[in-house]
């Protein structure tokens, strides 16, 4: 059971938000005052990474605290085409299930995107309550995952479809504010996963645009002004939830985390990086990340290299809980670093992406990157734009990281065309692929 001082936890995840899309990270075209205030009151990370350059793969890592490549559903984006066959196995321990077993109330408000009903879903993976969309994206006004009268809405309370009118970002804020304001007899863990600012490019006043869409993706639509209004609506939504938390008297003893599932897309600002979503350049992986816990953590700018899967061991430690020893986390508990009880630690982080045969390793200041047949070595601290290829100048570092990636890759499920096919039997035995009979691996 949790201790009497166990903190509440609110984990907020944006969708496709670029590293510099918040004014405190460098956005100059518009302001994000609520998230800027959160950053000033807590921890602003400068070297936080997503586990993947795409959406659901990162969410697998968040939920399990492990590399997503241990599960078939976590191999890039098969859920976009075969979400009824792949998903997060209900028997796999998750961040919400471990907290629930430790005495927490748990809720997910917003985007799931980890497999479809009837086999997969938030209520099957540790959440007591769910309100939101099961798939990857919906229209902000119709709440449909596509265009047309015959397309059903993807908005659910639990496992039952519901109807709500309004702009989706605001609907989620209303639900989350009500949740944190409600009486709670136990500490709570709230996952608040927005779809903003993911396409379709619709601001709060663009309901007329919604009715004109012929394709939900509408890559030829949108503009920088619309994107700005989407991010500002996201900022206002976070502000609304934080205000409700304050009014409920829960500010000091609540951990608030804000991050993104991957780097930005078409209209995002990723300076000082290049690249975007689906690319293993820094702009596709580096994400704005904030944490506030007034009772224990002083405001700071934190240079510790961290990644999505670190949140499971870190938040469990804050709740005086631990990962399931049969499913050890690939992430690190960074809480002692944030509280000043430990120094920063060196990390080795790994990525792969089938498109363009991309590979990447980050170790200390070095990054090995492969795109198609081109290989690079960058010092991403001195050269965040990844322009100076140092593989000829530092051959030993280059070859060492290249071999590290090959050794690491052999431990996990391969990405093949079969992964993305329909009608396949889901392989939910994630532990089959844990190296050395589930023993902890430190690359």
């Amino acid at each position: 059971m949790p201790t009497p001082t166990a903190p509440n936890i609110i984990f907020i995840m944006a969708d496709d938000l670029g590293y510099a899309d918040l004014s405190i990270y460098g956005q100059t075209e518009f302001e994000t005052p609520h998230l800027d205030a959160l950053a000033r009151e807590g921890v602003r990370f400068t070297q936080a990474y997503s586990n993947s350059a795409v959406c659901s793969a990162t969410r697998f890592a968040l939920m399990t605290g492990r590399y997503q490549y241990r599960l078939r559903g976590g191999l890039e984006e098969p859920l976009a085409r075969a979400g009824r066959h792949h998903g997060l196995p209900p028997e796999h321990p998750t961040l919400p299930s471990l907290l629930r077993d430790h005495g927490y109330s748990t809720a997910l408000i917003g985007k799931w995107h980890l497999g479809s009903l009837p086999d997969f879903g938030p209520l099957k993976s540790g959440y007591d309550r769910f309100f939101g969309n099961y798939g990857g994206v919906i229209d902000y006004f119709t709440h449909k995952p596509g265009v047309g009268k015959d397309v059903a809405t993807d908005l659910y309370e639990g496992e039952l479809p519901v109807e709500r009118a309004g702009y989706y970002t605001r609907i989620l804020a209303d639900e989350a504010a009500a949740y944190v304001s409600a009486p709670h007899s136990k500490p709570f863990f709230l996952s608040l996963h927005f779809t903003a600012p993911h396409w379709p490019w619709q601001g709060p006043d663009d309901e007329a645009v919604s009715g004109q869409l012929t394709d939900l993706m509408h890559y030829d639509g949108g503009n920088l002004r619309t994107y700005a209004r989407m991010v500002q609506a996201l900022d206002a939504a976070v502000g609304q939830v934080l205000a409700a938390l304050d009014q409920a008297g829960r500010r000091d003893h609540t951990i608030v985390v804000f991050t993104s599932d991957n780097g930005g897309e078409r209209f995002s600002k990723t300076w000082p990086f290049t690249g975007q979503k689906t690319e293993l350049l820094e702009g596709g992986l580096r994400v704005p990340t904030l944490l506030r816990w007034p009772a224990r953590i002083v405001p700071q700018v934190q240079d510790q290299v961290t990644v999505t899967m670190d949140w499971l061991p870190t938040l469990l430690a804050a709740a005086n809980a631990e990962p399931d020893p049969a499913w050890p986390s690939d992430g690190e508990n960074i809480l002692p670093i944030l509280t000043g009880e430990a120094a920063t630690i060196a990390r080795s982080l790994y990525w792969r992406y089938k498109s363009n045969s991309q590979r990447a390793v980050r170790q200390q200041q070095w990054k090995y990157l492969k795109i198609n047949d081109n290989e690079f070595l960058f010092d991403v601290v001195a050269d965040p734009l990844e322009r100076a290829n140092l593989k000829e100048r530092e051959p030993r570092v280059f070859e060492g990281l290249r071999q590290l990636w090959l050794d690491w890759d052999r431990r996990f499920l391969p990405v093949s065309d079969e992964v993305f096919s329909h009608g396949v039997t889901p392989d939910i035995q994630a532990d089959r692929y844990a190296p050395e009979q589930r023993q902890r691996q430190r690359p």
Side-chain angles (χ1 to χ4, degrees):
M1 295 297 291
T3 65
T5 56
N8 302 308
I9 303 170
I10 302 176
F11 191 94
I12 307 171
M13 180 171 274
D15 199 337
D16 292 0
L17 188 71
Y19 179 82
D21 277 338
L22 306 184
S23 41
I24 200 160
Y25 275 93
Q27 179 59 257
T28 56
E29 300 302 315
F30 56 86
E31 295 184 351
T32 51
H34 302 289
L35 287 164
D36 292 354
L38 183 66
R40 288 191 296 268
E41 295 163 358
V43 184
R44 176 168 64 89
F45 291 87
T46 63
Q47 298 194 82
Y49 287 90
S50 57
N51 257 73
S52 175
V54 287
C55 171
S56 61
T58 293
R59 294 165 197 269
F60 273 93
L62 171 65
M63 292 287 284
T64 65
R66 290 153 65 89
Y67 275 112
Q68 62 272 23
Y69 314 110
R70 296 186 183 279
L71 287 166
R72 184 181 227 162
L75 301 178
E76 298 177 4
E77 290 287 17
L79 302 191
R81 282 156 279 188
R84 293 185 179 179
H85 307 287
H86 303 302
L88 179 59
E91 66 270 30
H92 196 302
T94 63
L95 178 56
S97 75
L98 292 165
L99 286 170
R100 185 184 63 185
D101 293 347
H102 196 64
Y104 274 69
S105 298
T106 59
L108 169 59
I109 294 174
K111 179 175 176 176
W112 167 246
H113 204 203
L114 289 170
S116 303
L117 294 171
D119 295 321
F120 310 103
L123 301 186
K124 296 174 171 59
S125 288
Y127 288 108
D128 298 318
R129 189 208 168 192
F130 170 62
F131 174 89
N133 58 304
Y134 274 88
V137 64
I138 58 175
D139 184 288
Y140 284 85
F141 293 95
T142 69
H143 314 137
K144 294 182 177 183
V147 177
K149 294 182 179 179
D150 296 331
V151 178
T153 58
D154 181 12
L155 188 58
Y156 285 77
E157 177 75 55
E159 298 185 352
L160 298 175
V162 294
E163 296 285 342
R164 293 288 174 86
Y167 187 65
Y168 193 43
T169 302
R170 291 174 173 171
I171 291 173
L172 296 181
D174 289 343
E175 291 287 334
Y179 183 85
V180 303
S181 299
H184 290 275
S185 60
K186 300 185 290 185
F188 62 76
F189 171 60
L190 169 63
S191 295
L192 175 54
H193 294 179
F194 290 98
T195 58
H198 194 295
W199 48 259
W201 315 115
Q202 299 167 327
D205 302 318
D206 290 338
E207 190 165 6
V209 175
S210 173
Q212 298 168 4
L213 292 182
T214 58
D215 183 347
L216 201 62
M217 294 172 68
H218 85 302
Y219 282 140
D220 59 341
N223 52 56
L224 288 170
R225 181 177 296 180
T226 298
Y227 185 78
R229 289 189 285 115
M230 294 173 73
V231 176
Q232 288 175 306
L234 170 66
D235 178 72
V238 173
Q240 178 182 340
V241 176
L242 296 182
L245 187 72
D246 288 353
Q247 292 166 10
R250 293 175 170 143
R251 174 193 179 96
D252 288 350
H253 296 288
T254 299
I255 299 171
V256 178
V257 177
F258 177 87
T259 189
S260 180
D261 58 351
N262 46 249
E265 207 180 359
R266 182 178 175 193
F267 298 110
S268 298
K269 184 173 183 178
T270 60
W271 180 263
F273 312 118
T274 54
Q276 61 177 21
K277 179 181 178 179
T278 76
E279 298 174 341
L280 299 188
L281 291 156
E282 293 291 284
L285 295 170
R286 200 84 73 99
V287 289
T289 300
L290 310 171
L291 179 148
R292 188 185 74 185
W293 188 9
R296 284 201 59 187
I297 298 175
V298 299
Q300 60 192 270
V301 176
Q302 181 55 251
D303 295 328
Q304 171 64 54
V305 174
T306 188
V307 70
T308 310
M309 61 188 177
D310 293 343
W311 291 117
L312 182 142
T314 299
L315 294 176
L316 288 179
N320 298 305
E322 296 180 352
D324 188 323
W327 308 77
S329 176
D330 296 314
E332 295 282 354
N333 169 20
I334 62 169
L335 183 61
I337 299 167
L338 304 181
T339 59
E341 300 169 62
T344 57
I345 54 176
R347 304 294 302 277
S348 296
L349 301 179
Y350 300 78
W351 299 269
R352 65 187 190 191
Y353 195 69
K354 185 172 184 287
S355 175
N356 296 327
S357 301
Q358 297 178 77
R359 305 173 180 180
V361 182
R362 168 77 195 266
Q363 186 179 74
Q364 297 178 344
Q365 80 269 34
W366 300 109
K367 181 177 176 182
Y368 164 76
L369 177 66
K370 183 177 184 292
I371 304 175
N372 290 323
D373 295 325
N374 303 303
E375 294 180 293
F376 308 88
L377 177 68
F378 298 117
D379 179 340
V380 293
V381 174
D383 177 29
L385 280 172
E386 297 173 284
R387 285 294 182 262
N389 188 0
L390 303 178
K391 73 173 185 177
E392 302 295 338
R393 184 181 298 181
E394 301 283 351
R396 294 178 64 180
V397 176
F398 172 77
E399 290 297 338
L401 292 182
R402 185 175 183 273
Q403 188 61 50
L404 274 179
W405 188 93
L406 293 171
D407 294 341
W408 167 85
D409 183 58
R410 295 188 186 99
R411 303 172 184 171
F412 300 98
L413 286 170
V415 180
S416 62
D417 291 338
E418 184 271 339
V419 167
F420 301 93
S421 65
H422 294 270
V424 295
T425 301
D427 186 346
I428 60 175
Q429 300 301 317
D431 54 320
R432 284 179 52 197
Y433 306 100
E436 287 79 51
Q437 281 70 52
R438 302 175 178 167
Q439 290 180 11
R440 175 73 177 271
Q441 291 299 300
R442 294 181 180 271

